Amino acid sequence: MASEYGPRYGQEYGMSYGQEHRQGRGGDGERRHRLPAVLRAPFEARAWREFGYVLLSLPISVLLFTYAVTMLSVGVGLLVTFLGIPVLAAGLAGCRGFGALERARARGLLGLEVAEPEPLRMRGRGAWAWMGAVLKSGTSWRQLLYAVLHFPWAVFSFCVALTFWVYGWATLTYPLWFWVFPMYGGQDGLQLYGDEHHRVYLDNPFEITVTALVGLLFTLATPWIVRALTQVDRLLVHGLLGPSRLAARMVELESDRGVVVDTAAADLRRIERDLHDGAQARLVALAMDLGLAKEKLTEDPQAAARMVDEAHGEVKTALQELRDLARGIHPAVLTDRGLDAALSSVASRCTVPVRVHVDLTERPAQAIEGIAYFTVSELLQNISKHARATSATVDVWRAEDRLMLQVLDDGVGGADASAGSGLAGLAGRLDAVDGLLVVDSPPGGPTLVTAELPWRR
């Protein structure tokens, strides 16, 4: 079944409609400001927090730089004796403590969430095991590098931010305090230029107004300059004080492995439950009915014939349950004919009309194909049970090295993958294979669910 709705239509329709709906309601959309961002930036709390971060960076970086260089120099100098290793380990441990302080400061003032780095891995117990773990830890040396590199940057950003901030507000408010010079300073105004023969003062109304306008430009530009400076701080904190890419990837893979194991165990329990409560129970009852029919075969042939007919019906029911169970494990049509036919089959069982469009020139790996099938199947089941929709569309296509899935319905919306629903479990399954699930479902609909999977041959 081919759909007239392509992937691009689904994105444009779902996203634009949802955004307009949110803005129209005014509850979930972004708050509209009367002033543009450039005019309100100097008065926002974020600008003052970032400015405070830059001001605090200088004294903290001086202390951290002094500590790091001192401990490193003393430790390296004492390596000819056994005292060098404890001093160097203590210096690195101190840098790790300062790193925790810097992460907390970045979290509080910059809103930067940085995960804790990997802990020390000690082989054994005792002081020497601890010192060996500290010296072998890449995290310790990266935090020492942060202490050294952050000092010159903190000096530069402090000077730039403070200069722009002070000069901007001072010149902007110059019309309010220029009278101080003729009254107490013995000069007509703020001196702009002066030598032995000539001096220029900002003292007439035109010059005062121009000075205030220049100060206004400086004041409006300063928050953006400070924000650009703190971007470098964000990069330093994230790159040197957080977990390494390898460690983060290991944690992610361990989490994904746990999700895969839990999912496989849940699937096995579901299959065992379905077999025990369904086909197995019917087969046990069938065996008992056939045994009774065998006993009555000579005494009451008609009753035995009725029991055999009933047993025949039970056999058909058990076979149908086994087919449904096998289809739930891995449908044969998916193996034989691919996603297009398999998704068309599952769409035909949905309670609302579903249009399916699959644009693939080749088939992905069987594992990815199976995950794609079950993702769409789960989403269509949610539409049947909860969406109260009148129609739905399914689009599948390939974008470079990603397999893209989109399911759009015109139901009531309000789906939330973070609320612990079936969508959360579906997102976890996709994440286990480096996939992604994005749900756009404003109250009132429509609901657009986009899933990405890695393309593997």
Side-chain angles (χ1 to χ4, degrees):
M1 292 173 20
S3 170
E4 60 189 66
Y5 301 109
R8 184 172 300 175
Y9 174 86
Q11 288 178 336
E12 294 174 354
Y13 174 77
M15 294 298 185
S16 62
Y17 186 94
Q19 290 171 356
E20 291 174 0
H21 179 83
R22 286 194 296 270
Q23 292 176 359
R25 292 174 65 92
D28 300 328
E30 293 183 358
R31 184 179 59 184
R32 294 183 178 181
H33 297 274
R34 295 181 179 179
L35 290 177
V38 67
L39 295 180
R40 66 175 187 268
F43 307 100
E44 288 183 332
R46 176 181 177 180
W48 291 94
R49 287 197 302 268
E50 291 173 340
F51 182 59
Y53 182 89
V54 172
L55 294 183
L56 287 175
S57 292
L58 182 60
I60 292 177
S61 65
V62 170
L63 176 63
L64 182 54
F65 179 83
T66 304
Y67 173 83
V69 172
T70 302
M71 295 299 289
L72 179 64
S73 302
V74 173
V76 172
L78 292 176
L79 282 179
V80 295
T81 67
F82 71 93
L83 294 177
I85 294 178
V87 172
L88 193 57
L92 293 176
C95 289
R96 293 176 71 100
F98 276 110
L101 172 65
E102 286 294 271
R103 287 192 299 272
R105 188 166 69 97
R107 186 183 307 113
L109 296 178
L110 300 182
L112 178 64
E113 293 291 338
V114 179
E116 296 288 333
E118 55 272 21
L120 294 176
R121 296 186 177 182
M122 297 175 54
R123 296 182 178 179
R125 299 180 179 179
W128 285 105
W130 175 82
M131 287 185 286
V134 172
L135 293 174
K136 293 178 181 178
S137 173
T139 300
S140 304
W141 295 100
R142 283 191 287 110
Q143 309 221 5
L144 174 65
L145 182 62
Y146 173 86
V148 176
L149 293 180
H150 189 254
F151 173 67
W153 174 251
V155 173
F156 173 78
S157 58
F158 178 89
C159 295
V160 172
L162 187 63
T163 300
F164 273 87
W165 204 279
V166 170
Y167 273 88
W169 283 101
T171 52
L172 176 62
T173 58
Y174 181 62
L176 303 177
W177 56 272
F178 79 96
W179 53 269
V180 173
F181 292 97
M183 182 171 293
Y184 297 105
Q187 60 187 40
D188 296 333
L190 185 66
Q191 183 175 329
L192 182 64
Y193 172 79
D195 55 22
E196 296 180 356
H197 306 288
H198 184 67
R199 290 181 176 84
V200 178
Y201 297 101
L202 302 175
D203 53 357
N204 61 60
F206 174 77
E207 293 174 345
I208 293 174
T209 302
V210 171
T211 302
L213 292 176
V214 172
L216 177 62
L217 295 178
F218 271 74
T219 303
L220 295 178
T222 298
W224 305 100
I225 295 174
V226 174
R227 190 161 301 171
L229 294 173
T230 56
Q231 288 298 326
V232 178
D233 290 280
R234 288 183 170 92
L235 292 175
L236 289 173
V237 173
H238 189 273
L240 296 178
L241 299 184
S244 64
R245 291 184 178 181
L246 180 59
R249 183 58 177 167
M250 290 177 60
V251 172
E252 181 181 357
L253 290 176
E254 290 177 356
S255 176
D256 292 346
R257 182 183 62 183
V259 171
V260 171
V261 172
D262 293 341
T263 301
D267 289 340
L268 288 175
R269 289 193 299 268
R270 176 182 60 82
I271 294 171
E272 180 184 6
R273 183 178 63 251
D274 292 343
L275 285 174
H276 183 271
D277 298 340
Q280 182 180 348
R282 291 188 181 277
L283 291 175
V284 171
L286 174 63
M288 295 176 62
D289 291 342
L290 289 176
L292 293 175
K294 182 179 178 181
E295 293 178 358
K296 291 182 177 292
L297 184 60
T298 57
E299 302 176 359
D300 190 354
Q302 293 182 354
R306 288 195 302 270
M307 297 179 68
V308 170
D309 289 338
E310 293 176 358
H312 185 258
E314 290 292 328
V315 168
K316 291 182 177 179
T317 304
L319 287 176
Q320 184 60 41
E321 290 181 353
L322 288 175
R323 290 192 189 98
D324 294 339
L325 182 60
R327 187 184 297 113
I329 298 173
H330 194 84
V333 65
L334 178 62
T335 302
D336 298 336
R337 301 172 56 188
L339 273 175
D340 196 354
L343 294 182
S344 297
S345 176
V346 74
S348 65
R349 300 192 296 271
C350 188
T351 58
V352 301
V354 180
R355 298 180 180 179
V356 179
H357 179 261
V358 178
D359 183 15
L360 296 176
T361 57
E362 58 180 324
R363 296 178 62 174
Q366 291 184 358
I368 300 300
E369 198 173 49
I371 294 174
Y373 170 82
F374 287 111
T375 299
V376 175
S377 178
E378 181 73 19
L379 294 175
L380 291 181
Q381 288 182 16
N382 289 342
I383 292 175
S384 298
K385 295 178 181 178
H386 310 295
R388 286 182 281 174
T390 59
S391 64
T393 61
V394 176
D395 292 293
V396 182
W397 74 100
R398 179 182 178 181
E400 296 180 355
D401 60 343
R402 307 291 286 180
L403 177 61
M404 307 295 297
L405 313 172
Q406 274 192 349
V407 178
L408 173 69
D409 70 80
D410 59 355
V412 296
D416 186 5
S418 62
S421 61
L423 289 175
L426 194 58
R429 291 194 179 194
L430 293 179
D431 184 65
V433 293
D434 289 336
L436 180 66
L437 185 75
V438 179
V439 180
D440 180 56
S441 181
T447 296
L448 178 66
V449 181
T450 304
E452 294 186 17
L453 288 167
W455 181 273
R456 296 172 186 168
R457 295 181 180 274

